[in-house]
Amino acid sequence: MGPALGAGLRGGLFFGGRRRARIAVLIPMSGSAGIWGPSCISCAQLALDEINRYRGIGDREVELVFLDADDSVVETAVEQLNDLIEDGGVDAVVGMHVSSVRQRLNAALGGRIPYVYTPLYEGNEQAPACFTIGETPREQLAPAIRHLAASLGVRRWALVGNDYVWPRASHRYARDCIAASDGQVVFETYVPFGLEEPVELVEQVAAKRPDIVLLSLIGQEAVEFNRVFGAMGLDRSIVRFSTAIEENVLLATGADYTRRLYAASSYFAGLKTDANLSFVERYRSLHREHAPVLNALGQSIYEGLHFYAALIDGKRPRGAPITWRSARGGTFVSNERKENPIYLARADGHLFSVIDRLA
């Protein structure tokens, strides 16, 4: 990672004789994950306002370039990003998108500029100049599965996810955690993006009579599954649990269909910590009544921009952990050495109520 840290400082744009730092922000604005786009954009705008109010990045004013990073249009995003890099028009990438897009971007970037990947992911990222600040299955699933097994007595698990690297890797890890908690996996399936038959999928799950479903569907796919699940009355007998469902999905699903739904994450909008209460106040002050709902994925983009600012801060001692402005807290030494808080929450209508801090 080290040799690429200064790569983003070459080239660039000049306004009034003073160079601006330019960051490409890659987030989904279409497709199944497009539901997360407005929150990500709004959180990025808050980070930009704060960074520029302080002293920018390296004493340079910052501007953002937003690109659609949905899995279905990733090739277009790669072409646009390559053009920006070749023209010296971008210093870094901050991205919140699915892992299949991250893999494609890493191959295209080749470590030429820093790339901060912000959401939860499957772990073990070793690409040059790629910094992963989000949670991994080891951090989220191990304590959450232990807690749910002990507190709810769930033993029979169904694993349902989209068919790409993150759900499959997460579920491989989950299998070991479930076995360690004296549970068993009674059903496992993966579906492509663009879930066309949610009723059939929910019926397949119900037929196996699980106690709990580990749901690793993305964005709108999770919405469609949960609506059908609730409409069929399965929430009366089967618990749902996810590490990727957040407040946008709850809002789109509808309060009638979110009963007995749990989530593990390092951030929830309803956290009663000093850091989050201050973050929520600043966010609402900037966006007022038009503010999109806060959630872990939008907040991760806020963190990613502040992380990049801290990453290239020349005042940090070499090798020292990186800390940055955040609504949740956390430290980073490397992709394998970092600390994130983990909370377990239960859906309460359109919001999550935090039950416990797991780590």
Side-chain angles (χ1 to χ4, degrees):
M1 293 188 294
L5 294 188
L9 304 181
R10 69 185 188 279
L13 303 176
F14 289 84
F15 295 85
R18 184 171 180 270
R19 185 181 181 280
R20 289 184 179 176
R22 201 177 197 197
I23 302 173
V25 178
L26 273 72
I27 56 176
M29 303 183 205
S30 58
S32 299
I35 190 173
W36 299 327
S39 296
C40 289
I41 291 171
S42 297
C43 286
Q45 290 169 336
L46 176 60
L48 179 68
D49 180 72
E50 292 175 352
I51 289 168
N52 281 338
R53 281 176 182 270
Y54 177 50
R55 59 179 181 86
I57 294 180
D59 292 319
R60 294 171 298 152
E61 186 179 9
V62 177
E63 67 175 4
L64 306 180
V65 179
F66 291 94
L67 301 177
D68 188 354
D70 184 68
D71 184 80
S72 64
V73 296
V74 62
E75 294 305 323
T76 299
V78 167
E79 291 176 6
Q80 294 172 321
L81 193 54
N82 268 325
D83 288 344
L84 286 168
I85 294 172
E86 291 300 319
D87 292 341
V90 67
D91 296 290
V93 175
V94 174
M96 199 304 295
H97 40 70
V98 298
S99 287
S100 54
V101 171
R102 186 191 74 253
Q103 292 175 328
R104 180 66 184 88
L105 285 173
N106 272 326
L109 289 172
R112 287 178 289 171
I113 58 174
Y115 171 24
V116 182
Y117 184 67
T118 68
L120 68 148
Y121 84 115
E122 66 279 0
N124 198 37
E125 179 56 78
Q126 300 179 23
C130 181
F131 303 87
T132 57
I133 64 174
E135 315 97 291
T136 65
R138 177 183 59 80
E139 296 173 88
Q140 291 177 294
L141 288 176
I145 288 173
R146 285 195 302 269
H147 190 289
L148 292 169
S151 62
L152 302 180
V154 291
R155 294 290 180 268
R156 293 169 56 83
W157 289 73
L159 313 182
V160 177
N162 285 114
D163 191 6
Y164 76 102
V165 58
W166 170 70
R168 287 186 174 274
S170 294
H171 291 178
R172 281 196 299 271
Y173 187 83
R175 279 182 165 274
D176 292 336
C177 298
I178 291 166
S181 297
D182 297 323
Q184 61 175 317
V185 176
V186 298
F187 180 73
E188 184 172 3
T189 193
Y190 301 91
V191 296
F193 291 116
L195 182 60
E196 296 180 353
E197 299 294 340
V199 173
E200 180 180 342
L201 177 58
V202 174
E203 288 176 341
Q204 291 174 354
V205 172
K208 298 299 181 178
R209 300 175 63 186
D211 300 321
I212 185 168
V213 182
L214 172 54
L215 197 60
S216 301
L217 295 173
I218 296 303
Q220 190 63 34
E221 320 249 321
V223 171
E224 300 300 331
F225 181 95
N226 284 323
R227 285 175 177 168
V228 173
F229 192 94
M232 292 175 64
L234 296 176
D235 54 352
R236 292 193 292 268
S237 58
I238 303 173
V239 177
R240 286 163 290 174
F241 166 60
S242 179
T243 59
I245 289 179
E246 40 63 61
E247 287 82 353
N248 273 308
V249 168
L250 292 189
L251 187 62
T253 297
D256 290 341
Y257 304 133
T258 61
R259 290 184 291 268
R260 288 166 59 85
L261 192 160
Y262 294 79
S265 176
S266 67
Y267 178 80
F268 292 99
L271 281 175
K272 303 302 183 184
T273 61
D274 290 343
N276 187 50
L277 292 173
S278 176
F279 171 69
V280 171
E281 182 179 1
R282 298 193 308 274
Y283 179 78
R284 290 178 178 167
S285 176
L286 180 66
H287 295 295
R288 301 190 183 278
E289 68 272 15
H290 303 298
V293 62
L294 282 169
N295 58 84
L297 301 175
Q299 197 277 150
S300 78
I301 280 286
Y302 171 86
E303 284 198 15
L305 290 165
H306 278 292
F307 176 90
Y308 174 65
L311 179 70
I312 65 170
D313 185 351
K315 297 178 182 178
R316 180 173 55 89
R318 184 177 180 83
I322 300 173
T323 58
W324 59 95
R325 193 167 194 178
S326 166
R328 59 168 185 162
T331 60
F332 181 98
V333 176
S334 69
N335 290 347
E336 293 74 37
R337 295 176 58 201
K338 57 190 174 184
E339 293 183 3
N340 293 309
I342 302 295
Y343 301 93
L344 182 68
R346 181 182 59 247
D348 183 8
H350 293 139
L351 299 173
F352 278 110
S353 297
V354 175
I355 299 170
D356 199 2
R357 178 167 177 169
L358 302 177

